[in-house]
Amino acid sequence: QTETHSHAPLIFSIFYLLNLAMSPEKASPGFFGPHENIYVYVPNLIGYGRVVCYGFSLAVAFSQPELCLFLYFLGFFGDLLDGKAARALGQSSTYGAVLDMVSDRMATTAFLFVLSHLYKEYWWVFILLSILDLASHWYAMYSSLIEKRKSHKGESKSGLFLVNFYYSHYWFFAYCCVGAEVLYLALYLLTVPKYQHWPALPIDGAFMVPVLGDAAAGPLSLASVVALLCLPGCLTKQIVNVFQLLSSAAVIAEYDRRQMKNN
């Protein structure tokens, strides 16, 4: 506790110096408000921290599974904080939105590559999931620029009902997004022998043997049950990704048609 208190003045000094670094002649509200140095917005600093967590998580994915999961969860938790910080401090920015989206996509893609190595028989499933995720969000981001929406998550006038419903209903959106990530993490944990049957729950896992192999034989582990609970959300997210890709492609194609008519 004494050591923690000893670091407090240093932390406050750093924030104070950052605050002084803002341009005073433009009546800047300071570090914890909108200012011209977008790179050091609080939500963007959280975003950089997330990238570091994801990077170290993937670096130990094949050697230290517990540390890998902890760091990945830490990065994922940061995703819940950066948006709230942006809105609370008035520090929402296009740069931050892109940083957030790219961090999410790269982390998920890299983790799916890890799973493709661990589940060699199903490598193609994880590769297809990563391709769909990247293509869908790339098209969505580009179509949002055409429609001048603040984010690819905003409701599109040309979007399909399922996609607009997905992004406009927070808890449904959260279950699908969190469900997909947690499913991937649970599948990762099930490749670690000690977690394949621990902690054991009074549920027979025979029906999962065709997918998980002998690891699912006998009572299901907690990781297996979590994976089953998250599976519907993950599947729904993939369906939304398909429709998002199609609707975004339609927006871009319609933009091209309008440009041709104008020329």
Side-chain angles (χ1 to χ4, degrees):
Q1 186 175 1
T2 304
E3 184 180 353
T4 302
H5 285 310
S6 67
H7 287 84
L10 175 61
I11 295 172
F12 282 114
S13 297
I14 292 172
F15 281 121
Y16 177 72
L17 291 173
L18 286 170
N19 195 42
L20 289 179
M22 301 302 106
S23 176
E25 64 272 11
K26 293 186 178 181
S28 169
F31 180 73
F32 296 103
H35 52 76
E36 291 185 358
N37 198 346
I38 307 296
Y39 295 110
V40 295
Y41 272 10
V42 172
N44 296 339
L45 294 177
I46 295 173
Y48 305 144
R50 292 179 61 216
V51 172
V52 172
C53 286
Y54 286 138
F56 279 107
S57 172
L58 295 165
V60 299
F62 297 109
S63 58
Q64 302 181 60
E66 289 87 358
L67 181 59
C68 171
L69 283 178
F70 172 75
L71 291 172
Y72 199 94
F73 264 118
L74 198 60
F76 191 70
F77 181 69
D79 191 27
L80 304 177
L81 296 180
D82 56 5
K84 293 183 182 298
R87 291 185 290 274
L89 301 175
Q91 293 186 340
S92 298
S93 64
T94 303
Y95 175 83
V98 174
L99 174 64
D100 179 66
M101 197 269 280
V102 171
S103 301
D104 290 342
R105 303 285 66 76
M106 294 302 99
T108 301
T109 299
F111 204 83
L112 286 170
F113 285 174
V114 170
L115 291 177
S116 72
H117 177 79
L118 296 173
Y119 291 89
K120 288 184 169 59
E121 292 184 12
Y122 302 99
W123 66 269
W124 56 275
V125 174
F126 298 111
I127 297 301
L128 286 177
L129 287 173
S130 64
I131 292 172
L132 175 61
D133 190 58
L134 287 172
S136 174
H137 285 84
W138 179 269
Y139 269 76
M141 179 64 78
Y142 206 94
S143 67
S144 69
L145 293 175
I146 290 174
E147 294 187 321
K148 297 181 180 179
R149 287 181 280 132
K150 292 182 179 180
S151 166
H152 72 283
K153 297 178 183 178
E155 186 171 345
S156 170
K157 297 177 181 178
S158 307
L160 299 175
F161 169 77
L162 178 61
V163 179
N164 286 336
F165 180 88
Y166 172 77
Y167 283 120
S168 61
H169 292 74
Y170 177 78
W171 291 110
F172 178 68
F173 166 76
Y175 168 65
C176 294
C177 286
V178 174
E181 294 294 326
V182 173
L183 172 62
Y184 301 151
L185 294 174
L187 289 175
Y188 169 76
L189 201 59
L190 286 170
T191 64
V192 182
K194 108 173 149 178
Y195 295 112
Q196 290 174 354
H197 299 288
W198 181 88
L201 301 178
I203 305 173
D204 188 5
F207 66 96
M208 291 188 66
V209 171
V211 177
L212 298 178
D214 294 336
L220 285 179
S221 67
L222 178 61
S224 298
V225 173
V226 169
L228 286 173
L229 292 175
C230 293
L231 182 60
C234 182
L235 291 176
T236 303
K237 188 176 189 299
Q238 308 318 315
I239 294 172
V240 170
N241 278 343
V242 171
F243 282 104
Q244 179 173 256
L245 176 59
L246 295 175
S247 62
S248 298
V251 169
I252 297 170
E254 180 59 31
Y255 172 77
D256 283 337
R257 282 191 288 268
R258 290 198 304 269
Q259 292 295 102
M260 290 171 63
K261 289 180 180 179
N262 292 336
N263 293 334

